[in-house]
Amino acid sequence: MRADTTDVAFRLLLALGELWEGLQKAQIDPTSRGLHMTKEYLGGYTRYSAGPSSHPRLVVEWNESSRHLRVIHCKEWPGFEATVSATVAHVRQGARDHGISDVVDGRLVKACQETTPARRTVVTSPLTFGLARRAVSS
């Protein structure tokens, strides 16, 4: 897995994160294919914590307006692409069933076509990681 906006699977993960709350409100369960995600708003950044279970393998902060990605925590995640792909397929089917496919497909297509470069920062401070871990677990 690459926590980088040049990776399509990662961009799809961010798109799913943006749609996550709306999907749940529409009674589409995005976790049913093994992807678990939490989202937290931090001023201009949105923190996404994702993994194949309740223990995140990936914690990133994304600022859409400045196109800045901060990678807080990134562990090896075998099957990352398959998990994202299965979740996207499930979400698209659920969106069709609930009549919201235009919104969902539009966001996913935009993620696949993204060409604007983004700035990426990898945060390696143990203090920052500890704070991120506490925020995720609370």
Side-chain angles (χ1 to χ4, degrees):
M1 172 193 48
R2 290 184 350 169
D4 193 338
T5 58
T6 60
D7 184 69
V8 174
F10 180 76
R11 291 195 316 257
L12 285 169
L13 178 72
L14 290 179
L16 286 169
E18 290 177 15
L19 296 167
W20 204 262
E21 292 166 355
L23 293 169
Q24 291 173 330
K25 287 178 184 175
Q27 281 118 28
I28 301 170
D29 181 14
T31 64
S32 68
R33 297 299 183 265
L35 177 65
H36 295 268
M37 184 179 299
T38 60
K39 185 164 104 171
E40 182 181 1
Y41 299 103
L42 308 168
Y45 286 84
T46 303
R47 177 177 290 163
Y48 296 98
S49 302
S53 65
S54 61
H55 300 295
R57 304 242 176 160
L58 174 69
V59 179
V60 297
E61 295 173 354
W62 173 242
N63 184 308
E64 179 68 36
S65 62
S66 69
R67 313 260 325 132
H68 183 220
L69 176 71
R70 287 190 275 207
V71 180
I72 307 298
H73 178 66
C74 185
K75 281 178 135 177
E76 186 64 30
W77 184 348
F80 168 73
E81 291 86 2
T83 301
V84 170
S85 179
T87 303
V88 166
H90 171 71
V91 163
R92 290 186 72 222
Q93 181 59 51
R96 278 191 294 276
D97 295 345
H98 288 85
I100 58 171
S101 62
D102 54 335
V103 174
V104 171
D105 286 345
R107 183 59 198 108
L108 296 172
V109 166
K110 181 181 174 190
C112 290
Q113 296 173 341
E114 194 70 45
T115 59
T116 309
R119 190 168 47 109
R120 181 175 180 264
T121 304
V122 177
V123 179
T124 57
S125 166
L127 176 61
T128 304
F129 175 68
L131 292 173
R133 179 178 244 162
R134 269 186 258 130
V136 168
S137 63
S138 56

